[in-house]
Amino acid sequence: RILEHRMTSVLNVDTIANKAGSGPVALTKQVAAKMHFGINGSDASIRQSFNVSSTTDDGTGDYDITVTNAFANQMDDSGLAMVTGGGTRFGRYSGGDTTTTVFSVRAHDSGGTKQDAECNGAAFGDLA
């Protein structure tokens, strides 16, 4: 006869710090987005964000996203996942102003014509 004993544990905390208690715990063998954004296509206003300080509308379908905490390398060396709203629109890095604190994205149709579109994205990489 096998007896089975099950326990349920709940961990509720406000902060988890490193051993010294002075900083956040490092993720081990895991990757997390270091920045994410959701902007309106008409004026680049921020709808949602993490580690984003501001956005700029550089013209039809061109946007700059400025981060609060800089990346270790130029941001187009980081991984970007991005989607745009509406039909056959696409989003991508557009080069231009891309640095460790600003990256440029572009929304365009399947023929490459820039279009204003809602853009949502996340970037992965190391912070400075």
Side-chain angles (χ1 to χ4, degrees):
R1 184 170 200 204
I2 298 174
L3 295 176
E4 188 174 311
H5 180 72
R6 295 181 186 204
M7 294 179 60
T8 302
S9 298
V10 176
L11 177 63
N12 294 311
V13 298
D14 292 324
T15 304
I16 297 176
N18 61 11
K19 286 182 183 179
S22 61
V25 175
L27 294 175
T28 304
K29 297 183 182 181
Q30 296 182 35
V31 177
K34 302 301 190 300
M35 177 275 295
H36 82 80
F37 66 92
I39 61 172
N40 291 321
S42 59
D43 62 1
S45 60
I46 299 171
R47 294 181 300 103
Q48 60 185 353
S49 70
F50 168 71
N51 192 25
V52 173
S53 61
S54 65
T55 57
T56 305
D57 185 344
D58 288 334
T60 302
D62 280 324
Y63 312 99
D64 284 344
I65 313 297
T66 303
V67 297
T68 305
N69 299 294
F71 277 66
N73 298 302
Q74 184 168 312
M75 291 177 68
D76 56 3
D77 293 335
S78 303
L80 171 70
M82 187 171 141
V83 295
T84 56
T88 59
R89 293 189 180 123
F90 302 92
R92 65 179 177 89
Y93 281 118
S94 65
D97 300 329
T98 301
T99 66
T100 59
T101 57
V102 176
F103 75 100
S104 299
V105 295
R106 175 179 290 166
H108 58 87
D109 65 14
S110 59
T113 302
K114 294 186 285 183
Q115 296 184 343
D116 285 341
E118 171 188 311
C119 294
N120 301 284
F124 301 84
D126 294 327
L127 296 180

